Amino acid sequence: MEQPTYRLGCDIGGTFTDFVLVNNQTGQFHTNKCLTTPSDPSNAIEQGIRELDEILPGFMDNVEEIIHGTTLVINAIIERKGARTGLITTKGFRDILELGREKRYDAYDIFSEYPEPIVPRPDRAEIDERLTFDGRVLKDVDEKEVIQVLEKFKKDGIESIAVCFINSYENFVNEKRVKQIIEKHASDMFLSTSFEVLPEIKEYERTCTTAVNAYVKPITFWYLNKLINRLETIGFNGKFFIMLSSGGITSIETAKDFPVRIIESGPTAAVIASQHYGKMFNIKDMFCFDMGGTTAKSCLIQDGHAGLVSTFEVGRVQRFQKGSGLPIQVPVVDLMEIGAGGGSIAKISNLGLLQVGPESAGADPGPACYKQGGDNPTVTDADLVLGYLDPDFFLGGTMALDIELSKQAIEEKIARPLGTTMVEAAFGIHDLINETMASAAKTHIAEKGGNPNIVTVSAFGGAGPVHTYGLAKKIGAGSILVPPLAGVGSALGFFTAPVAFDLSRSHRKKLDEADFKEIELLFNELEHESAKILKGAQSGDKIIYERTLLMRFVGQGAEIDLSIEIKDFTKFSKAEIRTMFDEEYKRLYGRTSAESPVEFVTFKVRASLPKKPFTISKLSTQNRDLQACIKGQRPAFSVIKKDYIPFTVYDRSKLFAKAQFKGPAIIEERESTIVMGEDATARVDDFGFIWIKLAQSGGPDQVGGANNE
């Protein structure tokens, strides 16, 4: 009998590490969850794999691919645990990291704070070189000057170097020369150059992104090497991929070179899975809601596509204030992330009011009910007290919870100070975190031109299905979709992502003066470079290219994206490009200025390989007895009656196609728990997706089980 082959998805979150193993021949899934080990995340990965091995002995010998998502990079930036980094820049530009854009994110706050530069001023050095705005060399690099800088860096204990010169996006010659000198005289140091990391306009963003890449490069290198070695010792000899922030996956070598590209590695995967399901069921407006132990992530997916943005911020001093963080200019899925998860800590604020998050108990010590020494009440503790979670069936019964510890923490730290009952305090925690997430969700949907009343909310994460019903009611959504294995949705989402990579290059030219032959050569260079990166990850498949133009009116500071056909650029006319620009600008802003000149700013190429989609098997139609799916009843808190009422508890693994039932209900599976109130009805489709409809809602009545692609 032929041995089955497998693909393994592994997602490291702030509280739990999730695993999904798929059989390539049968499509059968095996899942696992274990607590994350913050001190060394590879410990949790090995533990989880060994637990899977108890179910399928020796499966690692037949794993063809492991796809991994991690929060290592973003945590290192936020916690400032990266390597000591040195910056080499053009003479006169040493302070670019402090100067930034010279904008105040709050014009009326004289005490506003800004993040400390990722490279302190003493660790920045200037080189007397210079290029003009159009790339002409005014002053070459002096090798002796570079060597002097390297000697100082070595003496100061610098581990990683970032090189970013003014205007180098137009001409790489001086940065390349410095790279050669560093490789010759300081080959033991890690190196990041802006012409390789981000050859784009905007000096501050380019310098900051290159410096961040250098800052996290050593820890990413050592972590990935250690992880691969551990995997090899337990039998893995296949290919290893990392999830990119842009929604594709890439090789371990590329992730080591460009760790800044995997900042949002884990959170992106659930969005890509939701995008896949949106196309599968032809849902026009899908709102992906992924709530784990530490954070909640969400994204509006319109017409089957999640938007990409080219700039985002990390490590904000003020969580919701744009401009208060470090700008990172790399492609990333346009998602919203807030500090709201199962481990979010509830406390009394300085004003004497209930506050939940953004601080999290994480995996260690975790919520009070984990019995690991944590004494702060969390969202998970509140959900347990409210009856939404079964203390004897958490993680399928492999991790017992102590409800008495939850009651004690909520009573002592919330109920007594507020002068209320323990149950009211527990519901206050649950409802407040829902309100926080709903407010952020409505803002995000509105910014994207969506309508919360017509979206279908897709639930992911260990805590997502518990809170999606409450979230949907607050934003006015009428439909909820809970896919199979929702509790490990990010790990499953890895299988829907293609091997892909995005490259860009800035080259400012007015449309009227542009040479389209020159632009075609530039696109060809980007496609050639991206092909080399993809072939290093996987060879033999046809590469799919997508081209994008970033254009603006001359004098503007922001660009709009124009996706164009893949054809010889010289076949376009300038009138065609201008028409495309005006139409897109008018769609975004309601009007355009046909008389004003426009210019090209940046050219982008996305190269990807064909997807290897998984197949979801149809549910059995033999069992049609709904009573056989019921585990029993337990009292849980009703958000409508504000009291405990009997909830029917269903075993999701026993639910059959076309099964229908009304709330109040709790649907349990190993990875997560679905909660729905008495005003909701649920239906199971042919593939095990659960569709929940809220009464008297304006939401669409979606039909599940459309296409299984």
Side-chain angles (χ1 to χ4, degrees), residues 15-16 35 293 341-345 360-382 384 389 394 399-402 405-406 409:
T15 305
F16 287 99
L35 284 171
S344 293
I345 295 171
S360 173
D364 184 13
C369 59
Y370 281 13
K371 298 181 291 186
Q372 295 183 158
D375 59 359
N376 287 314
T378 67
V379 173
T380 296
D381 292 305
L384 182 61
L389 303 177
F394 195 69
M399 182 178 174
L401 303 181
D402 190 329
L405 289 177
S406 294

Side-chain angles (χ1 to χ4, degrees), residues 499-516:
V499 177
F501 200 74
D502 298 87
L503 284 176
S504 60
R505 188 171 301 164
S506 290
H507 179 59
R508 286 179 56 195
K509 279 288 181 182
K510 291 182 180 178
L511 174 61
D512 294 339
E513 301 171 1
D515 181 348
F516 281 19

Side-chain angles (χ1 to χ4, degrees), residues 4 6 53 57-64 234-238:
Y6 301 94
D53 192 67
F59 81 92
M60 280 297 287
D61 293 334
N62 299 309
V63 173
E64 292 183 336
I234 55 178
F236 177 63
N237 56 10

Side-chain angles (χ1 to χ4, degrees), residues 617-624 654-658 686:
S617 302
K618 286 190 175 184
L619 293 182
S620 170
T621 57
Q622 294 179 351
N623 175 30
R624 291 283 182 175
K654 294 181 180 179
L655 290 175
F656 50 88
K658 305 296 191 295
D686 292 340

Side-chain angles (χ1 to χ4, degrees), residues 387-456:
Y388 301 144
L389 303 177
D390 183 345
D392 298 320
F393 193 70
F394 195 69
L395 294 187
T398 61
M399 182 178 174
L401 303 181
D402 190 329
I403 191 170
E404 294 305 319
L405 289 177
S406 294
K407 290 179 179 179
Q408 181 181 332
I410 295 172
E411 175 70 32
E412 292 180 357
K413 298 202 173 182
I414 303 298
R416 287 180 192 169
L418 290 179
T420 187
T421 68
M422 187 273 300
V423 172
E424 288 173 339
F427 178 67
I429 295 169
H430 176 89
D431 194 55
L432 180 56
I433 202 72
N434 284 351
E435 186 63 47
T436 301
M437 295 184 295
S439 298
K442 285 187 282 190
T443 300
H444 179 76
I445 293 171
E447 287 177 346
K448 306 304 171 188
N451 180 351
N453 300 135
I454 65 171
V455 301
T456 296

Side-chain angles (χ1 to χ4, degrees), residues 346-356 413-420 425 432:
K347 61 183 179 181
I348 305 301
S349 71
N350 294 333
L351 298 177
L353 303 174
L354 177 62
Q355 178 182 328
V356 185
K413 298 202 173 182
I414 303 298
R416 287 180 192 169
L418 290 179
T420 187
L432 180 56

Side-chain angles (χ1 to χ4, degrees), residues 150 178-188 191:
L150 294 178
V178 171
K179 179 182 179 180
Q180 292 168 354
I181 297 169
I182 293 174
E183 289 175 340
K184 180 180 178 182
H185 295 278
S187 58
D188 57 331
L191 174 64

